[in-house]
Amino acid sequence: MNIIAILRPESVFYKQEPIRELDEALKGQGFQLVYPTSSDDLLKLLEQNPRIAGVIFDWDQDSLDLCIEVNEINEYLPLYAFISSQSSLDVSLNDMRMVLYFFEYGLAAAADISNRIVQYTAEYIDTITPPLTKALFNYVKEGKYTFCTPGHMAGTAYQKSPVGSLFYDFFGANTLKADVSISVTELGSLLDHSGPHLEAEEYIARTFGAEQSYMVTNGTSTSNKIVGMYASAAGSTVLIDRNCHKSLTHLLMMSNIVPIYLRPIRNPYGILGGIPKRQFTRENIAARVAATPGASWPTHAVITNSTYDGLLYNTRYIKETLDVPSIHFDSAWVPYTNFHPIYQGKSGMSGERLPGKVIFETQSTHKLLAAFSQASLIHIKGDYDERTFNEAYMMHTTTSPNYAIVASIETAAAMVRGKSGRRLITRSIERALHFRREVQRLRQESEGWFFDIWQPDIIEEAVCWPIEPGAPWHGFRDADEDHMYLDPVKVTILTPGMDEAGVMQEEGIPAALVAKFLDERGVVVEKTGPYNLLFLFSIGIDKTKAMSLLRGLTEFKRSYDLNLRISNMLPSLYAEAPDFYRTMRIQDLAQGIHRLIKRHHLPELMLRAFDILPEMKMTPHEAFQQQVRGNVETVELPDMIGRISANMLLPYPPGVPVVMPGEMITAQSRAVLDFLLMLCSIGVHYPGFETDIHGAELTEDGRYLVRVLRDGQTENR
């Protein structure tokens, strides 16, 4: 970061000559100088170029107004104001809080001024760099010789092998030098929470509005298990969102606890609308406890916030209503909610602590912030036993953490702090809103059909849109007032074929076709439903990527309307089954899949499948113990009726468990199996559209095999 922006002063010699001398002196110190032509150019330059490390300007020409505008972009950026003997310094005490330095115009002063700018630039970099990252950078610069792990020794080993040299050149020297041993004492300890690691946790907690934060290097899958292992003793009962990540099912398999599932509502598109308010009440929980064998009053609750499709809860209602000692919000998909006012009251860490309750929130820092994969955070608000919690933490944390991942967690936090962080999130929201409006515009201008977008009819300002009871756009039949809100950065595109009420149209374009078309053109969809596609407008999405997606959608419409051959429009799909797709055209394929979905009455089937859960014959923990003992056998998916599932079954889409370990599909819950079979039937009829069902094995001849407990294996509670 050695770029300085200089706004040239007015064309008078006593000002121009000192700046010319300073230009030479700064270049001699290794700085790159850029000269915006106006204050407006400067501000645009700063917004687009975060590597600029300082601004030099004439105080009489631009004065305090420019400082305030720059400060709104980056409050830590050094400002260097040149003054003359006639300059008026009207600066308040509050204004002096800005990083503002004054220099007088004078000849032969450039060397001294440039030295000061070098010093202030170093202070700026030191200020914005968080503690652990700073310590890691310094350690790498020192270049110490170590006789400990890892064995590649800062990359030296790689350079002794041809293929190793390729690896070294690809990842770069600093990446490998930063892969250090836990034995490096000056970096502290991730497990003992000491030194720079402790400073990093405190820094992150302040940033995210938590009382305590923990860094986790194996994803939020691990963070969820850590919280669950601490909060749920063996034999206890836990309330758990049925729309849970599979890591929480694995927690239930690991820990001998009794789950009581809270069931979210669902609309005809397959979008989950959250758990209704009534399910959080004490009366409902008491009835569920009484109806669940082996259950006692719950000690802990786990709620998914936000849902996969971007719906956020009014978390205050849940915190105040749920009568349990601790609540865990699995917020893997929304690590940014503390950094913009539209998310106020919609995150686990929002608001003050509640007496007698501890709130946990887990976040995948890598998903929608700028951290490496597997970077995750645990936030805590409320009183808890730190030593016991740390035992659960160490139980799931490696003794050889990757320090680059750890540093990326802290850096992601540093990026969203302050005004510059607020601007990052604001820009993300603005890009999503602009994209939404462009889709609306194209839909109005297009001849025939075009894609729709799942949102209210009017989206004028940046807000989280409420899922209001009776509003037709969202399609939820039992929505509650002031309960769920749609995050604008989670953009769901709708394809023709079904309306929000679940009425199937005569013709349709299944979303999987659009997803395959976009993938051919380098655009990857986050999630694909029957007639909807989810796109995440994270802080890393710029206008170029948004326009590429918009262009891909318009190209699909053009190609579809021309009714191109599959071989031309979807060459990868054609390559999977050339004989099947040799003469087929895109409209034939779309209508064939659409008729198949329509014949199975997908909207009704999907609602029924999630209305009556399979019967829990034993806990997931007990079912897994039977599996470990070998008391399992393999059957085909259609033969699951009346058998206890050994594994979780999770079709993708929609990406949530439909069968948990220890559950049995009965005649009453037959719709669950019918839903799975319907998804499978698409792949049977159309190669390349096989459904991915986690927990089931797809054979080469198209059969789905699942593991069930042997007959006679029952619960031992």
Side-chain angles (χ1 to χ4, degrees):
M1 299 181 70
N2 61 345
I3 305 174
I4 300 291
I6 302 179
L7 275 175
R8 292 187 186 274
E10 57 186 314
S11 297
V12 294
F13 180 77
Y14 84 89
K15 290 184 177 181
Q16 290 275 340
E17 184 61 19
I19 294 299
R20 186 193 64 77
E21 291 181 355
L22 182 59
D23 180 293
E24 293 180 0
L26 287 172
K27 286 178 178 176
Q29 296 273 18
F31 283 97
Q32 175 187 346
L33 285 304
V34 293
Y35 285 88
T37 57
S38 66
S39 57
D40 286 341
D41 277 349
L42 170 66
L43 296 173
K44 291 176 182 176
L45 182 72
L46 293 176
E47 286 186 4
Q48 300 297 324
N49 296 276
R51 285 184 170 83
I52 292 175
V55 173
I56 297 172
F57 66 99
D58 181 89
W59 181 259
D60 297 330
Q61 185 173 299
D62 293 289
S63 192
L64 193 60
D65 291 340
L66 177 65
C67 298
I68 293 171
E69 290 183 276
V70 171
N71 196 254
E72 285 299 311
I73 296 173
N74 183 352
E75 65 265 47
Y76 307 108
L77 188 67
L79 301 168
Y80 307 111
F82 272 77
I83 59 175
S84 65
S85 57
Q86 290 81 31
S87 298
S88 173
L89 292 180
D90 186 14
V91 183
S92 70
L93 183 63
N94 186 62
D95 296 331
M96 290 302 294
R97 294 177 181 175
M98 292 187 287
V99 188
L100 178 59
Y101 304 99
F102 290 94
F103 299 122
E104 288 191 14
Y105 287 112
L107 297 176
D112 180 59
I113 293 173
S114 67
N115 287 333
R116 288 179 178 272
I117 290 177
V118 169
Q119 173 192 339
Y120 297 146
T121 302
E123 291 176 1
Y124 165 64
I125 294 172
D126 185 74
T127 297
I128 64 172
T129 308
L132 174 65
T133 303
K134 188 186 306 178
L136 184 60
F137 287 0
N138 290 336
Y139 177 82
V140 169
K141 289 175 184 176
E142 289 174 357
K144 290 184 176 180
Y145 292 110
T146 65
F147 289 84
C148 50
T149 61
H152 62 72
M153 292 294 167
T156 303
Y158 288 117
Q159 297 178 80
K160 296 180 179 182
S161 158
V163 66
S165 296
L166 292 173
F167 185 90
Y168 181 93
D169 293 341
F170 181 85
F171 283 101
N174 282 341
T175 299
L176 298 167
K177 290 176 181 177
D179 185 21
V180 300
S181 170
I182 199 170
S183 303
V184 177
T185 56
E186 54 260 59
L187 296 180
S189 171
L190 179 68
L191 300 180
D192 295 337
H193 312 284
S194 60
H197 279 89
L198 174 60
E199 294 175 45
E201 289 173 345
E202 293 170 344
Y203 177 93
I204 289 167
R206 290 193 302 270
T207 301
F208 284 84
E211 294 174 3
Q212 180 67 49
S213 295
Y214 292 83
M215 298 181 290
V216 179
T217 59
N218 198 25
T220 301
S221 295
T222 295
S223 293
N224 289 343
K225 294 167 192 168
I226 291 169
V227 172
M229 293 295 283
Y230 167 79
S232 312
S236 63
T237 298
V238 173
L239 298 171
I240 187 164
D241 193 337
R242 186 70 178 200
N243 173 33
C244 65
H245 186 260
K246 65 179 183 178
S247 61
L248 290 159
T249 304
H250 291 147
L251 167 69
L252 298 176
M253 295 167 70
M254 293 166 59
S255 189
N256 189 18
I257 52 182
V258 179
I260 293 179
Y261 298 109
L262 302 174
R263 289 180 294 171
I265 59 174
R266 181 178 294 268
N267 73 5
Y269 293 121
I271 296 172
L272 289 156
I275 302 161
K277 280 185 172 182
R278 62 183 179 274
Q279 292 195 36
F280 294 108
T281 63
R282 183 176 180 85
E283 293 75 16
N284 177 70
I285 295 170
R288 297 293 304 281
V289 170
T292 304
S296 56
W297 191 262
T299 59
H300 183 59
V302 186
I303 310 297
T304 306
N305 185 55
S306 81
T307 68
Y308 208 154
D309 300 283
L311 293 179
L312 292 154
Y313 286 98
N314 168 3
T315 55
R316 183 173 182 82
Y317 172 83
I318 297 174
K319 293 174 189 176
E320 293 179 346
T321 305
L322 263 183
D323 190 8
V324 293
S326 64
I327 303 172
H328 168 200
F329 291 98
D330 178 3
S331 300
W333 292 93
V334 284
Y336 49 82
T337 48
N338 194 52
F339 308 106
H340 199 281
I342 70 169
Y343 301 111
Q344 186 175 0
K346 300 175 181 67
S347 69
M349 290 298 104
S350 63
E352 301 299 321
R353 61 155 56 195
L354 290 170
K357 289 186 180 179
V358 58
I359 306 299
F360 300 93
E361 187 168 35
T362 53
Q363 296 176 336
S364 289
T365 328
H366 67 94
K367 278 190 167 71
L368 289 167
L369 294 184
F372 285 177
S373 292
Q374 300 188 31
S376 178
L377 285 169
I378 301 171
H379 304 300
I380 304 175
K381 186 171 286 186
D383 296 323
Y384 72 107
D385 187 328
E386 292 187 32
R387 294 181 64 179
T388 304
F389 185 89
N390 200 53
E391 286 297 319
Y393 179 85
M394 291 192 295
M395 192 183 304
H396 293 276
T397 304
T398 176
T399 55
S400 301
N402 185 301
Y403 279 32
I405 296 177
V406 181
S408 80
I409 299 172
E410 186 189 47
T411 299
M415 288 176 63
V416 291
R417 287 178 76 231
K419 295 175 182 177
S420 58
R422 165 76 175 269
R423 291 180 72 84
L424 272 178
I425 306 303
T426 298
R427 291 288 181 264
S428 179
I429 295 169
E430 289 174 347
R431 280 190 289 273
L433 290 174
H434 177 75
F435 178 83
R436 289 171 178 274
R437 295 188 186 106
E438 284 298 291
V439 172
Q440 284 183 320
R441 180 183 64 81
L442 290 171
R443 182 174 173 80
Q444 292 170 357
E445 296 176 358
S446 292
E447 294 183 9
W449 72 276
F450 194 67
F451 299 95
D452 202 353
I453 198 159
W454 190 63
Q455 63 187 20
D457 294 332
I458 300 174
I459 54 164
E460 293 179 350
E461 56 183 319
V463 295
C464 289
W465 299 295
I467 306 298
E468 295 175 329
W473 69 269
H474 55 69
F476 295 112
R477 299 174 183 172
D478 299 311
D480 291 310
E481 190 76 35
D482 188 27
H483 189 48
M484 298 295 296
Y485 296 81
L486 175 59
D487 184 348
V489 305
K490 308 290 179 64
V491 179
T492 297
I493 295 291
L494 303 176
T495 63
M498 183 174 66
D499 66 17
E500 65 275 358
V503 177
M504 298 292 293
Q505 299 165 357
E506 284 303 311
E507 294 186 354
I509 303 175
L513 290 178
V514 185
K516 288 182 179 296
F517 180 86
L518 292 174
D519 190 67
E520 293 268 7
R521 284 145 187 83
V523 177
V524 180
V525 179
E526 172 58 39
K527 181 175 77 72
T528 305
Y531 296 96
N532 53 82
L533 304 145
L534 176 66
F535 300 91
L536 309 178
F537 276 68
S538 66
I539 61 175
I541 297 296
D542 54 22
K543 288 183 179 179
T544 301
K545 294 176 181 176
M547 288 305 297
S548 296
L549 170 56
L550 205 59
R551 188 179 300 110
L553 295 175
T554 56
E555 286 179 3
F556 180 90
K557 173 183 166 53
R558 189 179 304 114
S559 301
Y560 184 87
D561 290 346
L562 291 171
N563 199 19
L564 298 182
R565 292 183 183 273
I566 297 300
S567 57
N568 296 326
M569 190 171 172
L570 298 170
S572 295
L573 178 64
Y574 174 78
E576 290 189 44
D579 292 337
F580 184 84
Y581 290 115
R582 190 170 305 281
T583 60
M584 188 178 293
R585 295 181 179 271
I586 185 64
Q587 291 183 16
D588 298 325
L589 176 58
Q591 299 319 310
I593 298 177
H594 178 69
R595 285 192 295 269
L596 186 60
I597 292 173
K598 190 175 179 181
R599 186 164 67 247
H600 284 88
H601 305 287
L602 171 67
E604 299 170 21
L605 179 60
M606 194 156 45
L607 291 172
R608 292 203 318 272
F610 291 89
D611 186 43
I612 300 177
L613 299 180
E615 186 177 339
M616 186 171 71
K617 290 295 186 179
M618 61 181 70
T619 68
H621 174 78
E622 291 162 342
F624 182 64
Q625 293 305 308
Q626 293 293 341
Q627 188 172 179
V628 171
R629 295 186 183 102
N631 297 327
V632 291
E633 59 185 350
T634 301
V635 300
E636 293 191 31
L637 183 61
D639 299 328
M640 279 199 71
I641 294 288
R643 303 300 302 271
I644 300 174
S645 179
N647 292 324
M648 157 183 52
L649 295 182
L650 185 152
Y652 187 86
V656 296
V658 294
V659 181
M660 291 288 193
E663 289 185 340
M664 175 189 288
I665 299 177
T666 62
Q668 290 74 23
S669 55
R670 167 79 201 209
V672 173
L673 180 60
D674 292 339
F675 174 62
L676 292 172
L677 293 175
M678 186 277 295
L679 295 178
C680 297
S681 70
I682 297 174
V684 171
H685 289 83
Y686 296 96
F689 292 90
E690 293 79 13
T691 297
D692 180 16
I693 301 179
H694 298 187
E697 177 188 355
L698 178 60
T699 64
E700 291 185 0
D701 58 357
R703 295 176 299 135
Y704 285 85
L705 305 180
V706 293
R707 301 188 89 190
V708 297
L709 301 189
R710 289 201 179 102
D711 285 335
Q713 302 300 326
T714 57
E715 67 269 26
N716 297 316
R717 284 202 302 275

